[in-house]
Amino acid sequence: MSRPLLLAAPFVFLLLWSAGFAIAKIGLMHAGPFTLLALRYTIAVVVLLPLIPILKPAFPKGRAALDIAVVGFLIQVAYFGLCYIAFKSGVSAGGVAIIVCLQPILVSLIAPWMVGETVSRLRWIGLALGLGGAITVILARSGIAHEPALGLLAAVGGLIGMTAATLYEKRFGITTHPVPANLIQYAVGAAFTLPLAIGTEGMQADWTPELFAVLGYLVVGNSLISITLLLAMIRAGEVARVSALFYLVPPLSALFAWPLLGEAMPPLAWAGMALAGVGVMLARK
C-alpha cells in the first residue's frame, strides 16, 4: 500500500466500519443474522470472481492461503456472526459495544509475547482514555442492564474472534493481492454461513429496496474496502496502535445511528467522543 493511501486508510476504515453497525441493524430487521451474512459473503464472491481472469493476480498458495482462510473465518464467521447473533438475541448496542471495546486492551496484553511488540506507557494511557471515552458514549446513549446471557456470551465470542484475527494476521499475514485474498476470505465466510442460514433460518428474507441497499453497503463498504484496509494497516503498523482505532468505532457508530436509526446523541456522548479521540491519538503516536 502506498504511503498516501496508508495515511488515509484509518479515516476511511473508521467511517465505513462504524457506519456498518447501524446499517447492519437495519438489515437484521429484514433477515436473520446468518441469512444476512450468507447473502453478504455470497454476493462478495460473485463480485470478485469475474475480476480474476481480468486482473490475473497471483494466488497465494499453501500456508499463505491457509493463513488467509483462518483470518477470514475469525473475522467473517466468528466476529460478525456472533455479534449479529448478539444483536438479534436482544443485546443492546451499548452492551455489544462495551464488550467489543475491550479488543485493544486484549491485543495490547497479548502482543508482547505473541508478536514481540512492546506497548509503551504513553500508549497504555491512550488505551485507557480511549476505553473511558467509548464507555462514556455508550452509557450516555443506552443502559446495559438486563441483557440476555446468551447474547452477552455471543458478544464475548465476537470479541475473542476479532482479537485472534488481529494477532494472527500480524504474526502470519503476508502482503498479497487484495482480490484473491478477499475471495478466499468470503468463500470461507459463505461456506460456513450458508448451511447455517438454510438450516436454522430457511434463508428467509424480506426482499425490500432497503435490504438491497443494506447488502450493497455491507458488500462494498464493509467487506471489500474496510477489511482490505484493516489487514493492510495491521501488516504495515504496530498491532496495538491499529487496534486502538476500535475505540472510535462505538462513538462514530452512535453518530451514524442518530440519522439512520433515530438514536439521539446526548451532550455527555459528545464529551465521550472527544475523550476517545484524545486516547486514540495518544495510542497511535
Side-chain angles (χ1 to χ4, degrees):
M1 182 182 290
S2 65
R3 180 167 178 77
L5 184 57
L6 195 60
L7 292 174
F11 304 100
V12 177
F13 167 77
L14 279 171
L15 289 175
L16 294 177
W17 190 270
S18 300
F21 279 82
I23 292 173
K25 288 186 70 175
I26 295 173
L28 289 171
M29 300 175 187
H30 301 282
F34 292 124
T35 299
L36 186 62
L37 287 173
L39 290 170
R40 170 181 173 177
Y41 300 149
T42 302
I43 294 171
V45 170
V46 171
V47 170
L48 291 169
L49 275 175
L51 298 178
I52 300 299
I54 297 173
L55 300 176
K56 297 181 174 60
F59 256 82
K61 299 177 181 178
R63 176 58 189 267
L66 177 62
D67 290 338
I68 293 172
V70 170
V71 173
F73 174 82
L74 292 171
I75 295 178
Q76 312 304 337
V77 181
Y79 173 71
F80 280 117
L82 291 170
C83 284
Y84 279 27
I85 289 173
F87 280 124
K88 197 70 174 180
S89 69
V91 180
S92 67
V96 174
I98 282 180
I99 293 171
V100 174
C101 265
L102 296 175
Q103 191 253 12
I105 295 293
L106 284 182
V107 167
S108 297
L109 288 172
I110 300 171
W113 64 266
M114 183 170 179
V115 296
E117 289 185 3
T118 301
V119 181
S120 67
R121 182 177 301 178
L122 179 64
R123 189 157 297 165
W124 276 115
I125 294 173
L127 290 169
L129 289 176
L131 179 61
I135 291 176
T136 300
V137 173
I138 294 160
L139 293 179
R141 290 187 60 248
S142 62
I144 58 169
H146 309 299
E147 304 283 16
L150 182 61
L152 290 175
L153 186 62
V156 171
L159 162 67
I160 294 172
M162 179 55 80
T163 302
T166 302
L167 293 167
Y168 192 97
E169 174 66 21
K170 182 61 181 179
R171 180 162 184 174
F172 300 110
I174 60 171
T175 301
T176 186
H177 197 286
V179 171
N182 279 320
L183 183 58
I184 292 171
Q185 286 205 4
Y186 297 122
V188 169
F192 280 91
T193 56
L194 264 174
L196 290 171
I198 295 171
T200 64
E201 299 167 358
M203 285 291 289
Q204 296 295 315
D206 179 18
W207 296 103
T208 64
E210 189 171 64
L211 178 59
F212 283 106
V214 165
L215 285 170
Y217 183 90
L218 293 178
V219 169
V220 178
N222 269 180
S223 295
L224 299 181
I225 300 177
S226 294
I227 296 295
T228 300
L229 291 176
L230 175 62
L231 298 181
M233 288 189 295
I234 291 172
R235 288 192 295 268
E238 294 181 6
V239 68
R241 185 173 63 175
V242 174
S243 292
L245 290 171
F246 280 87
Y247 280 142
L248 285 179
V249 171
L252 287 175
S253 297
L255 189 60
F256 280 113
W258 192 356
L260 293 174
L261 299 173
E263 299 175 357
M265 285 277 287
L268 183 60
W270 291 104
M273 286 186 67
L275 183 61
V278 172
V280 171
M281 181 180 68
L282 290 176
R284 289 181 55 82
K285 282 183 77 68

